[in-house]
Amino acid sequence: MLEAKNISKSYPTPRGPLPILNNVTLSLAAGDAISIIGPSGTGKSTLLYILGALEPPTSGEVTLDGRDPFTLSEKDVSAFRNQEVGFVFQDHCLLPQCTVLENVLIPTLVGREKSEERAKQLLDQVGLSHRLDHRPAELSGGEKQRVAIARAMIRGPKLLLCDEPTGNLDRHTAAQVADVLVEMNRASKNILILVTHSAELAGRCPKVFELVEGQLVAK
Ligand SMILES: Nc1ncnc2c1ncn2[C@@H]1O[C@H](COP(=O)(O)OP(=O)(O)O)[C@@H](O)[C@H]1O
Ligand SMILES: [Mg+2]
């Protein structure tokens, strides 16, 4: 269960605080999938960073299965992010010198566990089991994003946060990547939050919200 209560965020500027989020409240259960749309600069990324414990809110509370990451020590919050949250960004952020399989295993290096079987299984789920030894430069944009999704899923996160993951892809490839995300969500019963510019892709999630003037409005 992900619960965000009265999340507000403002950034300090020389002319005073700039309000971005205004009392956002959200409650999602395991297996839920939502998308968030809204024009550029409305605070979608800021909200994802707060939900993923990358950035603290100015006020309000976030809990994932009862744990508030912002009350944890620096070390414990890193472990929390590594274990409980998967991120997929607009840029795939793969390491060019590593193979597809090695890239998917990167988050497990922190946990020092043997995860190769799981990595191969995930790469099979995203349709790339035949590309394990390829380098990112040998993959298309959509394939790179599918590797990034497998990497985000390697530790079995409760929460998968995707920030415009198809923003650099053509329409057809974007639809394929969205299919992979929705299928992952169905199979793993994690919570999926998909931020996208595309109303068409947003519609793949059962619930669509728009971020308007710092608040989430159900569409
Ligand atoms: N670290 C920061 N300091 C000051 N302003 C920021 C910072 N990060 C984001 N902003 C501002 O907050 C607003 C929302 O940004 P963002 O969450 O990236 O929006 P979106 O993802 O919807 O495009 C923007 O006006 C942006 O300039
Ligand atoms: Mg953004």
Side-chain angles (χ1 to χ4, degrees):
M1 194 93 191
L2 172 71
E3 298 211 73
K5 282 190 202 139
N6 300 315
I7 298 295
S8 293
K9 179 77 180 180
S10 53
Y11 287 111
T13 72
R15 274 173 280 146
L18 173 71
I20 307 294
L21 300 174
N22 176 21
N23 277 310
V24 173
T25 292
L26 183 68
S27 178
L28 297 171
D32 281 351
I34 67 161
S35 47
I36 301 175
I37 56 173
S40 185
T42 47
K44 304 180 299 298
S45 296
T46 301
L47 179 59
L48 280 196
Y49 298 160
I50 291 171
L51 297 177
L54 287 172
E55 174 81 32
T58 308
S59 61
E61 192 186 73
V62 179
T63 57
L64 185 61
D65 287 346
R67 285 176 84 202
D68 176 347
F70 299 110
T71 62
L72 302 175
S73 68
E74 195 64 28
K75 179 167 162 273
D76 288 345
V77 80
S78 300
F80 176 93
R81 274 186 224 116
N82 184 258
Q83 283 160 24
E84 313 283 28
V85 188
F87 280 97
V88 181
F89 298 99
Q90 181 165 354
D91 181 88
H92 53 79
C93 308
L94 300 178
L95 297 182
Q97 70 275 30
C98 294
T99 66
V100 162
L101 183 60
E102 286 162 354
N103 265 288
V104 173
L105 285 165
I106 287 166
T108 69
L109 300 179
V110 180
R112 293 189 196 87
E113 57 189 306
K114 283 213 155 184
S115 304
E116 209 172 297
E117 277 320 298
R118 165 125 181 99
K120 287 180 179 167
Q121 191 189 343
L122 284 164
L123 284 163
D124 188 43
Q125 269 177 274
V126 302
L128 289 173
S129 50
H130 56 304
R131 308 297 292 272
L132 301 186
D133 299 323
H134 288 234
R135 312 266 159 193
E138 299 165 314
L139 305 179
S140 70
E143 287 164 345
K144 280 187 258 209
Q145 276 308 51
R146 286 190 269 149
V147 177
I149 294 167
R151 180 185 53 190
M153 292 295 297
I154 187 72
R155 307 233 26 206
K158 290 177 185 152
L159 183 58
L160 182 60
L161 302 175
C162 304
D163 195 356
E164 311 209 23
T166 62
N168 292 338
L169 304 176
D170 64 72
R171 193 159 163 250
H172 177 70
T173 310
Q176 286 178 338
V177 168
D179 284 343
V180 167
L181 287 171
V182 169
E183 188 45 46
M184 275 295 174
N185 166 252
R186 210 177 337 225
S188 71
K189 297 272 170 276
N190 59 10
I191 296 168
L192 170 66
I193 304 183
L194 171 63
V195 165
T196 173
H197 264 110
S198 154
E200 185 185 337
L201 290 184
R204 306 244 171 167
C205 293
K207 278 189 234 162
V208 182
F209 293 89
E210 184 169 0
L211 195 55
V212 183
E213 290 170 6
Q215 300 197 315
L216 281 180
V217 179
K219 295 290 283 181

